[in-house]
Amino acid sequence: MLQEESDLSLIIAQIVQKLKGSNLYSQLERQAWASLQRPEIKLESLKEDIKEFFKISGWEKKLQNAVYSELSVFPLPSHPAAPPEHLKEPLVYMRKAQGSWEKRILKSLNSMCTELSIPLARKRPVGEQKELLNKWNEMGTDEPDLSLFRPVYAPKDFLEVLINLRNPNYENGDSLSFRTHLGLIQVPLKVKDIPELKECFVELGLNIGQLGIDDSTQVPPELFENEHVRIGQKVLAEQDSAAAQQYIRQGSPTALRAELWALILNISSQPEDVLYYEQLKTNVIQHDLLVDSLIYKDVKLTASNDDYYFVFEDYLYQVLLCFSRDTSVLSHFAYNSASPPKSYIRGKLGLEEYAVFYPPNGVIPFHGFSMYVAPLCFLYHEPSKLYQIFREMYVRFFFRLHSISSHPSGIVSLCLLFETLLQTYLPQLFYHLREIGAQPLRISFKWMVRAFSGYLATDQLLLLWDRILGYNSLEILAVLAAAVFAFRAVNLMEVTSLAAAEKENYLRELKSMYLGDIVKIHGLFWLFKIVS
Amino acid sequence: MSRILVPCHVKGTVALQVGDVRTSQGRPGVLVIDVTFPSVAPFELQEITFKNYYTAFLSIRVRQHTSAHTPAKWVTCLRDYCLMPDPHSEEGAQEYISLFKHQMLCDMARVLELRLILRQPSPLWLSFTVEELQIYQQGPKSPSMTFPKWLSHPVPCEQPALLCEGLPDPSRVSSEVQQMWALTEMIRASHTSARIGRFDVDGCYDLNLLSYT
């Protein structure tokens, strides 16, 4: 059909345009030039011979991986009449809500700046620069006075904004009718129901082997584990991103995880990448940002207090401070409903040539942001690789957890999916919790916003993040949250207040929970069982 | 292929409802929009683009000009085209849509008038319509160029004049210059979307407060 052909050529043109600016392009060019000296490359059939050479030497695979990565991350080109805002977020009222939320954050940051009389950005004097360079690897030993700083916002503030989200064209009557949403989210986004989830997450069915369950000590390794590890090694040898993504849906063996994630995210540590990281480090040393103090405060409040992650405190500073200076992150705002905060050089207000983004990467960290990085420290020890992996995870997944959008993996859809699953399959529990004023979303929101980081034991968390990478979707967070409630349904029916429900040992001890337990006793997809 | 915007006059939407709109409880689920082309002769329709606003299904009827003295009849050219897969949820609710000639049930030559019939069966939405409606007809094919005579009949090579010793060979210089020019053209043509990476302006990052736009 004409339309599909023109759509396809548009997608191809877009991907070619993106890849032309990448390292891979110049590497391929260099390889092509170098290959001319090889005897098998003949002038008459130059094009085919070079293509054959690329196939044999593995360069074609690298190109395939890069194309696959572009397809996974960037949305398809939209209608020619659609403005760029439409690509960020198609629904106008959500764009407006995101805009007002951002304005609140900026006001908060500005008032912190004026109250504390601290500039947003300051060039460090040479002495201070030297000092910071010397203690770069042990910034955690620093104890700056952060008492006056407060996080710009916490997940519960964001939840209040989502609860008040309304579509002006929707029947939001006060009286209870079939139209009212019983949960906290009142916007009618499309979320998957159980049959659709079953179809989507087919590899998580009870009849298919999973790591985290079928590799426990009671199960003989010949049944599943050995074969799975063998396939994993083969996938790594082939260096195929798409195959790795398919493979990891059943979980990744611990020994292979770091390489598998790097393959799926298409990260290969080239000398240019290390240089880029060093450049970011120089930027951190030269300029001091107000946002740095927010990062320090966040790490001290969250990761440093966590039994699993406090050892990585120094790594967290090294990653997050550099992340704030990375302007390449700005490109993800093309498909993120959020927009980077803007400012002008002092004295040049209104002049576009002096307009800059603040922070340079456009992302203002909130309370708990450092928990996105912490679990990765278990996998990667080299700072520039750790940095690249985190940056890629952020621009693919984590940004959706703290911006208002209608995307199926956006936090609004995840909340609605969680509430819908709970209402449909645990109506008694949902009703009971609602009656005692303990709306389930108030408890599970913080788990989902942090992608369960800090709430699950690390090895379980990494198994969960395996699936996020494998399915390229965050919906599994909502399903897990619903499954946790299902797992503890009996106990939750007995609580009488929100405070009690939150203090529930059972929910707090999420950390001692094994995903395997949830699956074995109830089946993480027990919901699937009910419908089948 | 090229297309030309056809100026059209979009009449106000008419709700189809049984009974009196004011007294009945529900909201209309069917709206009709008439599109006329007062200043244009009957044309061949190429494309219709619009922005959806909570319309679930779209049907289009067209009235075409007939050569004989028979009165022009209304023909359905698009039947129940689905814009929102689930009328109760937001999916597809505010999307930009293009409909092409080849998707229509009848041929679209000599269009006089269009009638868009919008349906939204879900009672959840307060209103629905389509916005930014634009109708296109096929543009003219690019005219054939006539080449000037000197381009199509190049003059045979002239014998280069002998130069003094010490100067480089002009044909080699000209080919090198040509290569350099081709290289700069290539670099200029293939502008990448790679960022430069600097966040400051000339080394300065001393900022005002953040601006609210």
Side-chain angles (χ1 to χ4, degrees), chain A residues 109-327:
Chain A
L109 201 56
N110 275 346
S111 62
M112 198 189 301
C113 191
T114 41
E115 273 168 37
L116 302 177
S117 308
I118 296 177
L120 283 174
R122 164 184 79 93
K123 193 152 180 138
R124 285 190 227 265
V126 177
E128 195 184 321
Q129 288 187 28
K130 273 211 188 85
E131 201 188 315
L132 184 58
L133 188 55
N134 285 339
K135 60 171 186 7
W136 178 257
N137 288 324
E138 14 166 84
M139 284 186 273
T141 53
D142 222 8
E143 294 285 340
D145 180 17
L146 298 168
S147 52
L148 296 170
F149 290 98
R150 47 181 199 281
V152 182
Y153 66 97
K156 62 177 177 348
D157 305 316
F158 189 48
L159 178 59
E160 290 306 316
V161 174
L162 298 186
I163 290 172
N164 291 320
L165 197 55
R166 294 287 183 278
N167 180 346
N169 194 33
Y170 188 72
E171 175 83 58
N172 288 310
D174 288 321
S175 56
L176 229 54
S177 72
F178 73 89
R179 298 157 188 164
T180 324
H181 289 242
L182 290 171
L184 291 174
I185 302 293
Q186 300 287 317
V187 290
L189 294 173
K190 177 95 183 84
V191 291
K192 293 192 168 81
D193 57 9
I194 289 295
E196 285 167 331
L197 284 171
K198 247 174 122 162
E199 206 182 302
C200 191
F201 295 107
V202 81
E203 291 84 356
L204 293 172
L206 288 168
N207 56 330
I208 297 183
Q210 304 292 333
L211 277 186
I213 304 157
D214 301 303
D215 59 338
S216 66
T217 43
Q218 295 96 1
V219 180
E222 302 85 58
L223 277 183
F224 168 70
E225 195 183 349
N226 285 352
E227 182 63 18
H228 192 63
V229 173
R230 199 184 64 80
I231 298 177
Q233 284 160 341
K234 195 152 175 249
V235 165
L236 279 175
E238 289 291 310
Q239 285 288 297
D240 187 332
S241 287
Q245 192 166 325
Q246 179 65 34
Y247 168 78
I248 213 173
R249 291 177 180 188
Q250 290 171 267
S252 160
T254 316
L256 306 178
R257 181 174 279 125
E259 285 182 62
L260 276 171
W261 283 24
L263 181 55
I264 294 171
L265 297 170
N266 203 32
I267 307 268
S268 57
S269 256
Q270 304 286 327
E272 298 92 52
D273 302 313
V274 180
L275 267 175
Y276 190 78
Y277 177 75
E278 291 297 317
Q279 178 65 34
L280 293 175
K281 184 173 156 186
T282 318
N283 289 339
V284 175
I285 293 183
Q286 282 178 348
H287 292 274
D288 177 29
L289 304 181
L290 179 64
V291 168
D292 292 350
S293 308
L294 297 176
I295 291 173
Y296 269 107
K297 180 111 189 176
D298 183 44
V299 174
K300 293 278 184 214
L301 283 178
T302 54
S304 304
N305 285 332
D306 190 300
D307 296 334
Y308 291 100
Y309 303 123
F310 72 92
V311 288
F312 300 122
E313 194 181 336
D314 300 319
Y315 277 119
L316 295 177
Y317 296 125
Q318 290 174 29
V319 167
L320 287 168
L321 294 179
C322 290
F323 182 62
S324 297
R325 272 54 168 194
D326 194 349
T327 50

Side-chain angles (χ1 to χ4, degrees), chain A residues 343-375:
Chain A
S343 181
Y344 297 90
I345 299 291
R346 212 179 282 278
K348 312 272 187 221
L349 189 62
L351 298 175
E352 279 316 303
E353 314 86 73
Y354 293 93
V356 287
F357 293 117
Y358 182 85
N361 72 343
V363 180
I364 296 184
F366 56 91
H367 178 67
F369 193 83
S370 54
M371 295 307 280
Y372 290 142
V373 190

Side-chain angles (χ1 to χ4, degrees), chain A residues 79 93 167 169 171 346 357, chain B residues 27 90 98 126-127 205:
Chain A
H79 194 271
Y93 73 92
N167 180 346
N169 194 33
E171 175 83 58
R346 212 179 282 278
F357 293 117
Chain B
R27 282 184 285 274
E90 301 262 11
S98 268
L126 299 177
S127 72
Y205 196 57

Side-chain angles (χ1 to χ4, degrees), chain A residues 85-127:
Chain A
E85 307 90 71
H86 193 260
L87 192 63
K88 286 161 77 81
E89 172 49 54
L91 301 179
V92 174
Y93 73 92
M94 285 224 174
R95 286 207 293 265
K96 287 208 174 99
Q98 173 66 24
S100 352
W101 169 237
E102 277 172 14
K103 214 165 166 175
R104 264 176 66 181
I105 298 176
L106 296 189
K107 282 202 171 119
S108 172
L109 201 56
N110 275 346
S111 62
M112 198 189 301
C113 191
T114 41
E115 273 168 37
L116 302 177
S117 308
I118 296 177
L120 283 174
R122 164 184 79 93
K123 193 152 180 138
R124 285 190 227 265
V126 177

Side-chain angles (χ1 to χ4, degrees), chain B residues 7-166:
Chain B
C8 58
H9 172 62
V10 179
K11 291 198 187 146
T13 55
V14 175
L16 297 186
Q17 194 171 14
V18 175
D20 191 358
V21 176
R22 275 184 295 277
T23 54
S24 57
Q25 290 289 319
R27 282 184 285 274
V30 186
L31 293 180
V32 177
I33 301 180
D34 272 328
V35 184
T36 55
F37 307 95
S39 49
V40 180
F43 64 94
E44 176 163 5
L45 186 119
Q46 179 73 18
E47 187 182 340
I48 301 177
T49 49
F50 58 89
K51 180 173 189 291
N52 186 19
Y53 188 75
Y54 295 95
T55 305
F57 301 100
L58 176 67
S59 300
I60 303 184
R61 304 197 89 208
V62 65
R63 196 156 71 92
Q64 301 194 50
H65 180 261
T66 45
S67 48
H69 294 292
T70 53
K73 281 197 310 180
W74 284 100
V75 181
T76 303
C77 59
L78 192 68
R79 186 168 286 129
D80 280 343
Y81 184 77
C82 180
L83 297 171
M84 286 169 66
D86 176 6
H88 295 301
S89 79
E90 301 262 11
E91 206 182 343
Q94 299 192 24
E95 287 301 322
Y96 287 84
I97 308 281
S98 268
L99 296 168
F100 296 92
K101 189 169 70 171
H102 62 78
Q103 291 171 274
M104 305 290 176
L105 297 168
C106 63
D107 86 76
M108 302 294 283
R110 301 186 304 277
V111 168
L112 277 176
E113 252 190 284
L114 284 177
R115 183 168 279 168
L116 277 72
I117 301 167
L118 313 173
R119 289 205 299 119
Q120 176 48 274
S122 168
L124 296 172
W125 312 110
L126 299 177
S127 72
F128 63 97
T129 182
V130 295
E131 298 166 344
E132 296 173 37
L133 190 62
Q134 291 182 318
I135 318 283
Y136 294 93
Q137 63 173 329
Q138 184 150 27
K141 295 196 188 19
S142 47
S144 56
M145 306 277 282
T146 52
F147 287 104
K149 189 154 169 267
W150 56 267
L151 203 54
S152 49
H153 302 293
V155 177
C157 277
E158 296 163 3
Q159 200 66 313
L162 281 169
L163 290 172
C164 325
E165 301 284 324

